[in-house]
């Protein structure tokens, strides 16, 4: 069975909290004895996970020379579970039973694992129910993506779909409004109503939304830009859009004026 490497304090903590049964062993930096690492050690010992104290060179080689492992690596059985369309349908059904409006983030061809990790982190903080991405020409849940996500990858479902346009149609049929972010849109983000069943769609780092994806959006919105820069990094744009939706949804929540 293939062994997966997960590194970084936040990612490993989330892994130990959520699915400790998948962790076969922890590799820890020998001589490091701070409080954050002690918490991880306590979690590991509570779950009877083997501990290996090694030098920095060993950790560097195991995680990749350019990785910031922060002195801790988890060795896991198998690969991270990535969900499919069936799981998305289950989420929608569960939300309908609870009377809760879906709140989704769709990433159209985001290929940089750093950007994927940052988007996952913002989405989890915003209370998004799931992140959706196409299987092809998209970044996967690599160790880098998980490290940047700071634990979000362990608790927020990433759903990969074969045909993104078809998935968007299925969301529309389920009553979800699709809002795509596009710099040339006439409608501004802050003038848009983002309070109901919602999927925010953001495009790739360079090309933005693909034509077919754009055509399946109910509305296109733009983030107002006051400076000379023409566009934002996709993870920054995702944060702006998500938390504008959070602001609106909080304002219109039951009990609020």
């Amino acid at each position: 069975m293939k062994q997966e490497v997960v590194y970084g304090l936040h990612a490993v903590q989330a892994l130990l909290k959520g699915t400790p049964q998948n962790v076969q062993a922890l590799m820890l930096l020998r001589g490091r004895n701070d409080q954050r690492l002690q918490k991880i050690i306590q979690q590991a010992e509570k779950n009877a996970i083997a501990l290996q104290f090694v030098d920095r060179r060993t950790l560097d080689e195991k995680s990749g020379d350019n990785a910031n492992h922060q002195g801790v690596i988890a060795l896991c059985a198998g690969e991270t579970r990535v969900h499919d369309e069936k799981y998305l349908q289950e989420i929608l059904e569960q939300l309908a039973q609870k009377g809760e409006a879906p709140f989704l983030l769709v990433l159209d061809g985001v290929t940089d694992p750093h950007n994927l990790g940052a988007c996952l982190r913002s989405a989890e903080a915003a209370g998004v129910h799931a992140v959706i991405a196409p299987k092809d020409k998209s970044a996967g849940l690599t160790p880098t993506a998980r490290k940047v996500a700071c634990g979000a990858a362990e608790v927020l479902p990433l759903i990969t779909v074969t045909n993104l346009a078809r998935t968007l149609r299925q969301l529309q049929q389920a009553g979800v409004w699709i809002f795509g972010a596009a710099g040339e849109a006439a409608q501004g983000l802050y003038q848009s109503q983002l309070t109901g069943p919602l999927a925010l769609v953001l495009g790739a780092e360079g090309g933005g939304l693909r034509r077919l994806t754009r055509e399946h959006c109910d509305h296109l919105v733009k983030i107002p830009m006051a400076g000379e820069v023409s566009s934002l990094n996709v993870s920054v744009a995702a944060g702006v859009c998500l938390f504008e939706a959070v602001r609106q949804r909080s304002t219109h929540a039951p009990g609020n004026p």
Side-chain angles (χ1 to χ4, degrees):
M1 180 180 291
K2 185 177 179 180
Q3 194 176 60
E4 183 183 21
V5 173
V6 178
Y7 57 79
L9 290 167
H10 290 289
V12 172
Q13 281 180 325
L15 192 64
L16 291 172
K17 182 179 179 181
T19 56
Q21 68 275 9
N22 292 342
V23 182
Q24 296 177 321
L26 288 186
M27 299 177 68
L28 305 166
L29 180 61
R30 185 185 299 122
R32 178 171 178 174
N33 196 32
D34 57 87
Q35 187 176 3
R36 298 179 73 185
L37 200 60
Q38 284 303 313
K39 288 183 179 180
I40 288 179
I41 292 173
Q42 290 170 7
Q43 285 180 288
E45 291 176 339
K46 181 180 178 181
N47 290 282
I49 295 171
L51 302 177
Q52 304 173 16
F53 293 91
V54 299
D55 57 26
R56 183 172 295 277
R57 180 179 177 182
T58 301
L59 292 174
D60 291 343
E61 292 175 350
K62 193 68 177 178
S63 61
D65 291 336
N66 296 321
N68 181 15
H69 49 68
Q70 297 178 302
V72 57
I73 292 175
L75 305 178
C76 306
E79 299 182 4
T80 302
R81 182 183 178 190
V82 177
H83 303 282
D84 57 13
E85 291 96 333
K86 182 179 178 181
Y87 190 79
L88 174 60
Q89 187 59 40
E90 292 175 1
I91 290 177
L92 295 175
E93 290 173 357
Q94 291 170 3
L95 292 172
Q97 290 173 1
K98 295 188 292 185
E100 187 173 349
F103 186 20
L104 306 167
L105 174 64
V106 181
L107 301 175
D108 182 23
V110 173
T111 57
D112 186 333
H114 292 87
N115 281 336
L116 173 62
C119 287
L120 288 170
R121 183 177 182 179
S122 294
E124 198 280 331
V128 164
H129 296 114
V131 175
I132 302 168
K135 288 182 179 179
D136 297 329
K137 297 182 180 179
S138 293
L141 270 184
T142 64
T144 297
R146 294 179 66 155
K147 167 67 171 55
V148 175
C150 289
E154 281 65 49
V155 295
L156 178 63
L158 175 63
I159 298 171
T160 59
V161 299
T162 304
N163 187 317
L164 184 58
R166 181 177 63 197
T167 298
L168 294 177
R169 288 196 299 269
Q170 291 171 343
L171 289 174
Q172 289 169 326
Q173 291 168 3
V176 178
W177 290 90
I178 312 296
F179 281 76
E184 71 279 10
Q187 183 175 338
L189 174 69
Y190 303 130
Q191 288 72 49
S192 304
Q193 186 173 344
L194 309 173
T195 54
L198 173 68
L200 288 168
V201 189
L202 285 96
E205 292 85 359
L209 297 177
R210 291 177 295 174
R211 178 188 59 80
L212 198 56
T213 302
R214 185 189 303 262
E215 291 175 356
H216 282 81
C217 293
D218 296 302
H219 302 281
L220 294 177
V221 299
K222 64 180 178 181
I223 299 172
M225 306 284 286
E228 296 295 327
V229 176
S230 60
S231 64
L232 296 173
N233 174 278
V234 63
S235 63
V236 175
V240 172
C241 294
L242 288 169
F243 279 93
E244 170 59 16
V246 169
R247 185 192 68 80
Q248 292 189 23
R249 295 160 89 85
S250 299
T251 302
H252 290 82
N256 287 340

